[in-house]
PDB file of all heavy atoms in Angstrom:
ATOM      1  N   ALA E  70     127.882 135.784 173.903  1.00 98.00           N
ATOM      2  CA  ALA E  70     129.115 135.296 173.275  1.00 98.00           C
ATOM      3  C   ALA E  70     130.314 135.597 174.168  1.00 98.00           C
ATOM      4  O   ALA E  70     131.183 134.728 174.377  1.00 98.00           O
ATOM      5  CB  ALA E  70     129.294 135.918 171.891  1.00 98.00           C
ATOM      6  N   ASP E  71     130.372 136.812 174.718  1.00 98.00           N
ATOM      7  CA  ASP E  71     131.461 137.173 175.627  1.00 98.00           C
ATOM      8  C   ASP E  71     131.447 136.288 176.869  1.00 98.00           C
ATOM      9  O   ASP E  71     132.491 135.834 177.338  1.00 98.00           O
ATOM     10  CB  ASP E  71     131.336 138.633 176.068  1.00 98.00           C
ATOM     11  CG  ASP E  71     131.611 139.633 174.960  1.00 98.00           C
ATOM     12  OD1 ASP E  71     132.163 139.242 173.909  1.00 98.00           O
ATOM     13  OD2 ASP E  71     131.267 140.819 175.147  1.00 98.00           O
ATOM     14  N   LEU E  72     130.249 136.032 177.391  1.00 98.00           N
ATOM     15  CA  LEU E  72     130.107 135.200 178.587  1.00 98.00           C
ATOM     16  C   LEU E  72     130.610 133.780 178.339  1.00 98.00           C
ATOM     17  O   LEU E  72     131.389 133.233 179.132  1.00 98.00           O
ATOM     18  CB  LEU E  72     128.638 135.175 179.019  1.00 98.00           C
ATOM     19  CG  LEU E  72     128.288 134.320 180.232  1.00 98.00           C
ATOM     20  CD1 LEU E  72     129.002 134.815 181.481  1.00 98.00           C
ATOM     21  CD2 LEU E  72     126.777 134.319 180.437  1.00 98.00           C
ATOM     22  N   LEU E  73     130.199 133.187 177.236  1.00 98.00           N
ATOM     23  CA  LEU E  73     130.636 131.823 176.924  1.00 98.00           C
ATOM     24  C   LEU E  73     132.149 131.753 176.724  1.00 98.00           C
ATOM     25  O   LEU E  73     132.804 130.816 177.192  1.00 98.00           O
ATOM     26  CB  LEU E  73     129.897 131.290 175.695  1.00 98.00           C
ATOM     27  CG  LEU E  73     128.417 130.987 175.915  1.00 98.00           C
ATOM     28  CD1 LEU E  73     127.747 130.672 174.579  1.00 98.00           C
ATOM     29  CD2 LEU E  73     128.234 129.850 176.899  1.00 98.00           C
ATOM     30  N   TYR E  74     132.687 132.738 176.031  1.00 98.00           N
ATOM     31  CA  TYR E  74     134.135 132.783 175.811  1.00 98.00           C
ATOM     32  C   TYR E  74     134.879 132.828 177.155  1.00 98.00           C
ATOM     33  O   TYR E  74     135.784 132.026 177.418  1.00 98.00           O
ATOM     34  CB  TYR E  74     134.516 133.991 174.952  1.00 98.00           C
ATOM     35  CG  TYR E  74     135.974 134.328 175.029  1.00 98.00           C
ATOM     36  CD1 TYR E  74     136.916 133.601 174.308  1.00 98.00           C
ATOM     37  CD2 TYR E  74     136.429 135.350 175.868  1.00 98.00           C
ATOM     38  CE1 TYR E  74     138.267 133.883 174.407  1.00 98.00           C
ATOM     39  CE2 TYR E  74     137.776 135.639 175.974  1.00 98.00           C
ATOM     40  CZ  TYR E  74     138.688 134.908 175.251  1.00 98.00           C
ATOM     41  OH  TYR E  74     140.028 135.183 175.359  1.00 98.00           O
ATOM     42  N   HIS E  75     134.491 133.768 178.012  1.00 98.00           N
ATOM     43  CA  HIS E  75     135.199 133.922 179.282  1.00 98.00           C
ATOM     44  C   HIS E  75     134.979 132.723 180.206  1.00 98.00           C
ATOM     45  O   HIS E  75     135.871 132.347 180.973  1.00 98.00           O
ATOM     46  CB  HIS E  75     134.816 135.250 179.958  1.00 98.00           C
ATOM     47  CG  HIS E  75     135.452 136.418 179.301  1.00 98.00           C
ATOM     48  ND1 HIS E  75     134.837 137.114 178.279  1.00 98.00           N
ATOM     49  CD2 HIS E  75     136.666 136.990 179.474  1.00 98.00           C
ATOM     50  CE1 HIS E  75     135.648 138.078 177.870  1.00 98.00           C
ATOM     51  NE2 HIS E  75     136.770 138.017 178.576  1.00 98.00           N
ATOM     52  N   TRP E  76     133.807 132.083 180.116  1.00 98.00           N
ATOM     53  CA  TRP E  76     133.548 130.860 180.879  1.00 98.00           C
ATOM     54  C   TRP E  76     134.517 129.759 180.452  1.00 98.00           C
ATOM     55  O   TRP E  76     135.103 129.072 181.286  1.00 98.00           O
ATOM     56  CB  TRP E  76     132.090 130.448 180.683  1.00 98.00           C
ATOM     57  CG  TRP E  76     131.715 129.121 181.251  1.00 98.00           C
ATOM     58  CD1 TRP E  76     131.718 128.750 182.569  1.00 98.00           C
ATOM     59  CD2 TRP E  76     131.277 127.979 180.514  1.00 98.00           C
ATOM     60  NE1 TRP E  76     131.291 127.444 182.685  1.00 98.00           N
ATOM     61  CE2 TRP E  76     131.009 126.952 181.444  1.00 98.00           C
ATOM     62  CE3 TRP E  76     131.054 127.726 179.167  1.00 98.00           C
ATOM     63  CZ2 TRP E  76     130.550 125.701 181.059  1.00 98.00           C
ATOM     64  CZ3 TRP E  76     130.592 126.480 178.790  1.00 98.00           C
ATOM     65  CH2 TRP E  76     130.347 125.486 179.729  1.00 98.00           C
ATOM     66  N   LEU E  77     134.720 129.615 179.137  1.00 98.00           N
ATOM     67  CA  LEU E  77     135.648 128.598 178.639  1.00 98.00           C
ATOM     68  C   LEU E  77     137.091 128.928 179.021  1.00 98.00           C
ATOM     69  O   LEU E  77     137.883 128.017 179.275  1.00 98.00           O
ATOM     70  CB  LEU E  77     135.503 128.426 177.129  1.00 98.00           C
ATOM     71  CG  LEU E  77     134.226 127.704 176.686  1.00 98.00           C
ATOM     72  CD1 LEU E  77     134.094 127.743 175.165  1.00 98.00           C
ATOM     73  CD2 LEU E  77     134.196 126.268 177.185  1.00 98.00           C
ATOM     74  N   VAL E  78     137.427 130.201 179.090  1.00 98.00           N
ATOM     75  CA  VAL E  78     138.764 130.584 179.547  1.00 98.00           C
ATOM     76  C   VAL E  78     138.949 130.164 181.002  1.00 98.00           C
ATOM     77  O   VAL E  78     139.977 129.578 181.364  1.00 98.00           O
ATOM     78  CB  VAL E  78     139.002 132.109 179.369  1.00 98.00           C
ATOM     79  CG1 VAL E  78     140.250 132.559 180.124  1.00 98.00           C
ATOM     80  CG2 VAL E  78     139.120 132.462 177.893  1.00 98.00           C
ATOM     81  N   VAL E  79     137.956 130.442 181.838  1.00 98.00           N
ATOM     82  CA  VAL E  79     138.039 130.050 183.252  1.00 98.00           C
ATOM     83  C   VAL E  79     138.172 128.530 183.378  1.00 98.00           C
ATOM     84  O   VAL E  79     139.005 128.037 184.139  1.00 98.00           O
ATOM     85  CB  VAL E  79     136.825 130.598 184.044  1.00 98.00           C
ATOM     86  CG1 VAL E  79     136.697 129.921 185.408  1.00 98.00           C
ATOM     87  CG2 VAL E  79     136.947 132.107 184.205  1.00 98.00           C
ATOM     88  N   LEU E  80     137.359 127.793 182.629  1.00 98.00           N
ATOM     89  CA  LEU E  80     137.483 126.337 182.648  1.00 98.00           C
ATOM     90  C   LEU E  80     138.886 125.906 182.213  1.00 98.00           C
ATOM     91  O   LEU E  80     139.483 125.006 182.812  1.00 98.00           O
ATOM     92  CB  LEU E  80     136.444 125.675 181.741  1.00 98.00           C
ATOM     93  CG  LEU E  80     134.995 125.677 182.210  1.00 98.00           C
ATOM     94  CD1 LEU E  80     134.112 125.007 181.156  1.00 98.00           C
ATOM     95  CD2 LEU E  80     134.832 125.011 183.555  1.00 98.00           C
ATOM     96  N   GLY E  81     139.402 126.544 181.170  1.00 98.00           N
ATOM     97  CA  GLY E  81     140.731 126.202 180.666  1.00 98.00           C
ATOM     98  C   GLY E  81     141.816 126.448 181.695  1.00 98.00           C
ATOM     99  O   GLY E  81     142.706 125.610 181.884  1.00 98.00           O
ATOM    100  N   ILE E  82     141.757 127.580 182.368  1.00 98.00           N
ATOM    101  CA  ILE E  82     142.751 127.882 183.394  1.00 98.00           C
ATOM    102  C   ILE E  82     142.645 126.874 184.534  1.00 98.00           C
ATOM    103  O   ILE E  82     143.657 126.441 185.094  1.00 98.00           O
ATOM    104  CB  ILE E  82     142.590 129.329 183.903  1.00 98.00           C
ATOM    105  CG1 ILE E  82     143.001 130.316 182.797  1.00 98.00           C
ATOM    106  CG2 ILE E  82     143.414 129.569 185.161  1.00 98.00           C
ATOM    107  CD1 ILE E  82     142.677 131.769 183.098  1.00 98.00           C
ATOM    108  N   ALA E  83     141.417 126.461 184.858  1.00 98.00           N
ATOM    109  CA  ALA E  83     141.205 125.491 185.927  1.00 98.00           C
ATOM    110  C   ALA E  83     141.557 124.065 185.507  1.00 98.00           C
ATOM    111  O   ALA E  83     141.586 123.159 186.337  1.00 98.00           O
ATOM    112  CB  ALA E  83     139.749 125.544 186.395  1.00 98.00           C
ATOM    113  N   GLY E  84     141.807 123.872 184.211  1.00 98.00           N
ATOM    114  CA  GLY E  84     142.130 122.533 183.716  1.00 98.00           C
ATOM    115  C   GLY E  84     140.913 121.624 183.630  1.00 98.00           C
ATOM    116  O   GLY E  84     141.047 120.401 183.706  1.00 98.00           O
ATOM    117  N   ILE E  85     139.749 122.217 183.477  1.00 98.00           N
ATOM    118  CA  ILE E  85     138.506 121.448 183.383  1.00 98.00           C
ATOM    119  C   ILE E  85     138.043 121.439 181.928  1.00 98.00           C
ATOM    120  O   ILE E  85     137.702 122.492 181.379  1.00 98.00           O
ATOM    121  CB  ILE E  85     137.407 122.045 184.280  1.00 98.00           C
ATOM    122  CG1 ILE E  85     137.855 122.008 185.736  1.00 98.00           C
ATOM    123  CG2 ILE E  85     136.081 121.306 184.083  1.00 98.00           C
ATOM    124  CD1 ILE E  85     136.945 122.762 186.685  1.00 98.00           C
ATOM    125  N   PRO E  86     138.009 120.278 181.288  1.00 98.00           N
ATOM    126  CA  PRO E  86     137.548 120.227 179.900  1.00 98.00           C
ATOM    127  C   PRO E  86     136.036 120.462 179.806  1.00 98.00           C
ATOM    128  O   PRO E  86     135.277 120.060 180.704  1.00 98.00           O
ATOM    129  CB  PRO E  86     137.889 118.810 179.437  1.00 98.00           C
ATOM    130  CG  PRO E  86     138.548 118.123 180.558  1.00 98.00           C
ATOM    131  CD  PRO E  86     138.492 118.993 181.767  1.00 98.00           C
ATOM    132  N   LEU E  87     135.627 121.101 178.744  1.00 98.00           N
ATOM    133  CA  LEU E  87     134.205 121.324 178.471  1.00 98.00           C
ATOM    134  C   LEU E  87     133.439 120.014 178.558  1.00 98.00           C
ATOM    135  O   LEU E  87     132.305 119.972 179.069  1.00 98.00           O
ATOM    136  CB  LEU E  87     134.037 121.961 177.085  1.00 98.00           C
ATOM    137  CG  LEU E  87     132.613 122.130 176.570  1.00 98.00           C
ATOM    138  CD1 LEU E  87     131.794 123.036 177.473  1.00 98.00           C
ATOM    139  CD2 LEU E  87     132.640 122.653 175.142  1.00 98.00           C
ATOM    140  N   ASP E  88     134.044 118.934 178.098  1.00 98.00           N
ATOM    141  CA  ASP E  88     133.377 117.634 178.110  1.00 98.00           C
ATOM    142  C   ASP E  88     132.942 117.223 179.520  1.00 98.00           C
ATOM    143  O   ASP E  88     131.905 116.581 179.688  1.00 98.00           O
ATOM    144  CB  ASP E  88     134.283 116.573 177.488  1.00 98.00           C
ATOM    145  CG  ASP E  88     133.530 115.317 177.120  1.00 98.00           C
ATOM    146  OD1 ASP E  88     132.463 115.420 176.479  1.00 98.00           O
ATOM    147  OD2 ASP E  88     134.000 114.223 177.478  1.00 98.00           O
ATOM    148  N   ASP E  89     133.703 117.603 180.543  1.00 98.00           N
ATOM    149  CA  ASP E  89     133.316 117.285 181.918  1.00 98.00           C
ATOM    150  C   ASP E  89     132.004 117.975 182.290  1.00 98.00           C
ATOM    151  O   ASP E  89     131.139 117.387 182.942  1.00 98.00           O
ATOM    152  CB  ASP E  89     134.400 117.694 182.917  1.00 98.00           C
ATOM    153  CG  ASP E  89     135.615 116.781 182.883  1.00 98.00           C
ATOM    154  OD1 ASP E  89     135.666 115.842 182.058  1.00 98.00           O
ATOM    155  OD2 ASP E  89     136.535 117.028 183.681  1.00 98.00           O
ATOM    156  N   VAL E  90     131.865 119.221 181.870  1.00 97.00           N
ATOM    157  CA  VAL E  90     130.640 119.972 182.155  1.00 97.00           C
ATOM    158  C   VAL E  90     129.470 119.373 181.373  1.00 97.00           C
ATOM    159  O   VAL E  90     128.374 119.212 181.916  1.00 97.00           O
ATOM    160  CB  VAL E  90     130.818 121.467 181.819  1.00 97.00           C
ATOM    161  CG1 VAL E  90     129.526 122.233 182.048  1.00 97.00           C
ATOM    162  CG2 VAL E  90     131.957 122.072 182.635  1.00 97.00           C
ATOM    163  N   LEU E  91     129.719 119.026 180.128  1.00 96.00           N
ATOM    164  CA  LEU E  91     128.653 118.441 179.311  1.00 96.00           C
ATOM    165  C   LEU E  91     128.198 117.094 179.867  1.00 96.00           C
ATOM    166  O   LEU E  91     126.999 116.789 179.857  1.00 96.00           O
ATOM    167  CB  LEU E  91     129.105 118.321 177.858  1.00 96.00           C
ATOM    168  CG  LEU E  91     129.384 119.648 177.153  1.00 96.00           C
ATOM    169  CD1 LEU E  91     129.906 119.404 175.746  1.00 96.00           C
ATOM    170  CD2 LEU E  91     128.155 120.540 177.139  1.00 96.00           C
ATOM    171  N   LYS E  92     129.134 116.302 180.369  1.00 95.00           N
ATOM    172  CA  LYS E  92     128.770 115.020 180.987  1.00 95.00           C
ATOM    173  C   LYS E  92     127.916 115.251 182.233  1.00 95.00           C
ATOM    174  O   LYS E  92     126.969 114.503 182.485  1.00 95.00           O
ATOM    175  CB  LYS E  92     130.019 114.212 181.329  1.00 95.00           C
ATOM    176  CG  LYS E  92     130.689 113.603 180.116  1.00 95.00           C
ATOM    177  CD  LYS E  92     131.964 112.876 180.500  1.00 95.00           C
ATOM    178  CE  LYS E  92     132.681 112.391 179.250  1.00 95.00           C
ATOM    179  NZ  LYS E  92     134.004 111.843 179.558  1.00 95.00           N
ATOM    180  N   GLU E  93     128.269 116.257 183.002  1.00 94.00           N
ATOM    181  CA  GLU E  93     127.476 116.603 184.183  1.00 94.00           C
ATOM    182  C   GLU E  93     126.053 116.987 183.775  1.00 94.00           C
ATOM    183  O   GLU E  93     125.077 116.527 184.372  1.00 94.00           O
ATOM    184  CB  GLU E  93     128.137 117.753 184.951  1.00 94.00           C
ATOM    185  CG  GLU E  93     127.352 118.266 186.131  1.00 94.00           C
ATOM    186  CD  GLU E  93     127.269 117.294 187.304  1.00 94.00           C
ATOM    187  OE1 GLU E  93     128.086 116.364 187.389  1.00 94.00           O
ATOM    188  OE2 GLU E  93     126.361 117.477 188.144  1.00 94.00           O
ATOM    189  N   LEU E  94     125.945 117.816 182.753  1.00 92.00           N
ATOM    190  CA  LEU E  94     124.620 118.211 182.269  1.00 92.00           C
ATOM    191  C   LEU E  94     123.838 117.019 181.739  1.00 92.00           C
ATOM    192  O   LEU E  94     122.642 116.878 182.007  1.00 92.00           O
ATOM    193  CB  LEU E  94     124.743 119.276 181.169  1.00 92.00           C
ATOM    194  CG  LEU E  94     125.090 120.675 181.638  1.00 92.00           C
ATOM    195  CD1 LEU E  94     125.408 121.560 180.434  1.00 92.00           C
ATOM    196  CD2 LEU E  94     123.959 121.265 182.460  1.00 92.00           C
ATOM    197  N   GLU E  95     124.517 116.165 181.006  1.00 92.00           N
ATOM    198  CA  GLU E  95     123.862 114.973 180.466  1.00 92.00           C
ATOM    199  C   GLU E  95     123.314 114.100 181.593  1.00 92.00           C
ATOM    200  O   GLU E  95     122.183 113.600 181.517  1.00 92.00           O
ATOM    201  CB  GLU E  95     124.839 114.176 179.605  1.00 92.00           C
ATOM    202  CG  GLU E  95     124.218 112.953 178.971  1.00 92.00           C
ATOM    203  CD  GLU E  95     125.213 112.187 178.116  1.00 92.00           C
ATOM    204  OE1 GLU E  95     126.424 112.197 178.412  1.00 92.00           O
ATOM    205  OE2 GLU E  95     124.759 111.564 177.139  1.00 92.00           O
TER     206      GLU E  95
END
Side-chain angles (χ1 to χ4, degrees):
D71 290 346
L72 178 62
L73 289 171
Y74 163 79
H75 285 91
W76 172 64
L77 287 173
V78 167
V79 166
L80 288 178
I82 291 171
I85 299 171
L87 174 61
D88 196 48
D89 287 2
V90 177
L91 296 177
K92 286 177 185 172
E93 176 69 19
L94 285 171
E95 182 180 31

